[in-house]
Amino acid sequence: MIAAIEDLYDQVTAWIFHAWVQPVMYELGLMAWADDAFDWVGFFLFGVVQVLVVALVCLPLERWRPVERWDSQRVVWTDVTYTLLARLGLLPLLGFVVFSGAAVAIEGAIADSGFVPPTLETLIPGLREWPLLALALYIVILDFGEYWRHRFQHQFRWWWALHSIHHAQTQMTFWTDDRNHVLDDVLAAAWIGVIAVAIGVPPAQFPLILLVLRLAESLSHANVRMDFGRVGERLVVSPRFHRLHHGVLSVGQSGKNYGVLLPVWDWIFGTADFKRDHYPRTGDPGAPPAYVTGGWLRQQGQGLREVWRALRPPRQG
Amino acid sequence: MRHLFLAFLLLGAAFLPARADTIFVLNSGDASISVIDAVAREEIRRIPVLREVHHLVVTPDGRELVVGDSGGNELLFLDPVGGEVLRRLRISNPYHLEFSPDGRHFVVASLRRNQVDIYDAATLELQQRLRHPGMPSHIAFSPDSRWAYVTLQGRGQVAAIEMASMTTAWVQDVGPEPAGIIWHRGRLLVGLMGRDDFVALDPETRAVTTAFRVGRGAHNVFPSPDGRFLYATSRVESRIAEIDAETLEVRRIFEVPGGPDCIAFDPDGRIYATLRWIGRVLILDPATGDHAQIRVGRSPHGIFVMPRRPGVGADFALRMPGAASGPRPMELALAEQADAPTRVNAAPGR
């Protein structure tokens, strides 16, 4: 069954690439990037599958037990835009085009220093024969890194000025997961990149597992009254757990529940709140109006202004 | 005398029951190596690798396969008979790799880091790193091992590296997006992915002329074991062309799906080609036109045939007349042209 699904996925990827993408690349003189383009087509298709699966799971849940009901869902469509741009590979593609030259230079410089970046499997040889265990370990390490990145997003004024876009949504749904400023996404990529140099990039050959992880992250933002029980709440971030993080009293440095996938880090570092009956209103009362009601482009522009304002020294007087 | 013995063995193999040659396929898209039984025509196991394997070569002594895991910064050394991983070596981004014909050097092209690395083949110590902006892609040597030629995919050039001084002697424009490159009868044949043709580059005069046309996205070319034909791939047109090695005339076109990339041959001259975009390997008998496909992993790239016949080793291709051409052109094979066997099967029907 899984093999059949993978086969179908590969065939569709091949057809899109062979019939549409590769001929265009040939005409544009971009065949040197054919392999990368093929990967991108796979990324795009995987993104479509991700969005569909997440929507199929989360939409019924949000209809079944919503935390809030709204007369208008206009601001939710902004989050849909964010999701499509991020998940269908358009922003990653733009990032690749802009930063690939820099990546080559940086990797070349690292290579010239004589340092060959390790991978987790080179540090722990036994993991070679257990790729799934290796993947699990990568997920734990990366999630730990994400916990701290998230803490810093709330800690530093200039970073919060960007991250506030994510928190400003007063109608949080599963679409809110990808609501981030592009500059914030770049910082996230750089953050992961540093970890990747330290432990190697996690393998991407487990699309089903990545799909489950993606589903968990989207579900944590869903407008649904749902917790995972006394034990489950401590194992995986639930909609209840993450909603508390998005509550109006949890903005900036007063945040709780920073965990992205695993609540264990909040548990360890004392930032957890496991009150299971609490579903606060979401939003950032201090956010500029554009962050709350603006469209994607307006929020991006406003985000740059806000980060500039946060970086400037305070005026004397 | 040794060559006659080899010829005798290969001819004898034709009268033995079919043996299961082993095919190694590098799945660049899902971090694995597929091991295929050529008789059953099915994958019998998968060897996990770290990240992203693209190309492989056999060591000069024929005892090991060297697999480059570019994403994992690692070389894997496999036993070509059993497929066991014998050892690993951490090196920087090994994409395309080749030993010099004299067995002294091991050269690695690193497409993503714009570098060409020269290693001592015996110790695998890095001797020289050459910076080459423009995505160094594929390597070919001259038969005397004095020169290594590298295609610079992003710049439409071929760089000539003098192995004695380990410096780049010259760089020549050849056409858009050059990929595969082989030595063939005193010239270099280069596939231009940005066009429909292979060009011939004369390393003495540096003259560049169109050699033959295969279709849009010309990619790579491989000599048949008997040395009579070249088989060239085109990615956009998705075909394999059979070229007369003497005249460079295109004799036949095989339309195949999935963007054929790398080709390997069994001792009978059967073609095994990776079909990059559909995750399959093509088996094609040019003598009969029979063909089949085998499902492997995602984005299969490098491929190697390990013959399972008496007296035929992993380095059989380097002992055949066809090895006078290729990325590692063997002078030995050139000398053997007169008395080495041609393919065991009958010549391809027309």
Side-chain angles (χ1 to χ4, degrees), chain A residues 3 6-11 13-15 17-18 22-23 25-27 29-36 38-39 103-105 107-122 128-129 131 138 199-205 207, chain B residues 29-31 48-52 54 71-74 76 88 90-93 95 111-115 129 131 135 153-154 177 192-196 215-218 235-238 258-259 261 276-280 295-299 301:
Chain A
E6 279 187 351
D7 203 25
L8 179 67
Y9 172 80
D10 289 347
Q11 283 183 45
T13 306
W15 181 79
F17 181 76
H18 187 66
Q22 192 174 231
M25 296 194 76
Y26 178 80
E27 294 302 329
L30 294 172
M31 283 298 289
W33 303 96
D35 291 6
D36 301 283
F38 181 68
D39 292 343
V104 167
E107 287 192 9
I110 291 172
D112 282 350
S113 74
F115 175 71
V116 180
T119 61
L120 215 50
E121 296 95 326
T122 55
R128 290 177 180 281
E129 305 308 315
Y138 272 117
I199 63 166
V201 184
Q205 65 262 35
Chain B
D30 60 12
V49 300
L50 284 181
R51 297 288 177 270
E52 198 180 321
H54 283 284
N73 294 311
E74 188 171 84
L76 290 92
R88 296 179 172 92
R90 289 180 60 215
I91 73 165
S92 175
N93 196 238
Y95 178 70
L111 188 137
R112 286 192 185 150
R113 290 189 189 157
N114 286 343
Q115 64 197 29
R129 171 162 294 156
R131 282 263 153 246
M135 305 165 80
Q153 204 167 280
E177 296 153 305
L192 300 179
M193 284 197 294
R195 286 205 321 230
D196 65 354
R216 293 175 304 157
R235 273 196 176 172
V236 181
E237 223 69 67
S238 202
D261 196 314
R276 211 55 205 277
W277 316 134
I278 58 172
R280 283 169 170 74
R295 182 90 169 89
V296 287
R298 274 197 197 90
S299 196
H301 197 174

Side-chain angles (χ1 to χ4, degrees), chain B residues 103-339:
Chain B
R104 289 179 55 206
H105 292 107
F106 178 64
V107 177
V108 171
S110 171
L111 188 137
R112 286 192 185 150
R113 290 189 189 157
N114 286 343
Q115 64 197 29
V116 178
D117 289 345
I118 302 172
Y119 293 85
D120 180 284
T123 63
L124 286 171
E125 280 182 18
L126 181 64
Q127 296 179 309
Q128 184 65 280
R129 171 162 294 156
L130 298 169
R131 282 263 153 246
H132 269 294
M135 305 165 80
S137 170
H138 289 68
I139 306 155
F141 278 92
S142 59
D144 59 11
S145 301
R146 286 180 56 205
W147 297 91
Y149 304 94
V150 184
T151 50
L152 304 177
Q153 204 167 280
R155 292 199 167 185
Q157 296 170 325
V158 168
I161 298 164
E162 189 188 28
M163 295 304 293
S165 60
M166 296 189 194
T167 56
T168 303
W170 49 263
V171 175
Q172 177 63 46
D173 292 340
V174 291
E177 296 153 305
I181 181 168
I182 65 166
W183 178 274
H184 182 66
R185 306 188 186 205
R187 294 187 299 173
L188 294 153
L189 298 178
V190 184
L192 300 179
M193 284 197 294
R195 286 205 321 230
D196 65 354
D197 59 322
F198 279 72
V199 293
L201 167 62
D202 185 326
E204 298 297 328
T205 65
R206 289 162 59 180
V208 179
T209 53
T210 293
F212 50 86
R213 294 184 187 280
V214 296
R216 293 175 304 157
H219 188 65
N220 211 344
V221 59
F222 304 84
S224 63
D226 62 13
R228 294 169 59 202
F229 302 105
L230 304 173
Y231 290 93
T233 56
S234 129
R235 273 196 176 172
V236 181
E237 223 69 67
S238 202
R239 52 172 52 159
I240 296 173
E242 182 181 78
I243 319 292
D244 186 298
E246 181 69 39
T247 64
L248 297 187
E249 170 201 357
V250 178
R251 297 171 60 96
R252 288 191 291 176
I253 295 282
F254 299 97
E255 303 289 352
V256 299
D261 196 314
C262 284
I263 289 176
F265 303 86
D266 70 11
D268 299 331
R270 266 187 294 267
I271 291 170
Y272 291 81
T274 47
L275 304 178
R276 211 55 205 277
W277 316 134
I278 58 172
R280 283 169 170 74
V281 164
L282 172 79
I283 306 174
L284 170 66
D285 188 339
T288 63
D290 289 345
H291 59 89
Q293 289 179 25
I294 304 167
R295 182 90 169 89
V296 287
R298 274 197 197 90
S299 196
H301 197 174
I303 186 163
F304 182 83
V305 176
M306 177 62 202
R308 292 300 190 74
R309 303 151 196 237
V312 185
D315 57 346
F316 90 97
L318 300 173
R319 310 265 168 242
M320 299 291 282
S325 302
R328 194 194 314 183
M330 306 298 287
E331 288 183 310
L332 173 71
L334 200 60
E336 286 178 1
Q337 292 260 27
D339 61 358

Side-chain angles (χ1 to χ4, degrees), chain B residues 9-20:
Chain B
L9 280 175
L10 282 177
L11 284 166
F15 302 101
L16 292 171
R19 301 289 295 266

Side-chain angles (χ1 to χ4, degrees), chain A residues 180-214:
Chain A
N180 296 302
H181 195 277
V182 169
L183 191 54
D184 210 359
D185 283 333
V186 169
L187 291 170
W191 183 271
I192 296 263
V194 170
I195 296 172
V197 168
I199 63 166
V201 184
Q205 65 262 35
F206 303 101
L208 276 175
I209 291 170
L210 297 175
L211 190 62
V212 170
L213 295 175
R214 171 83 189 121

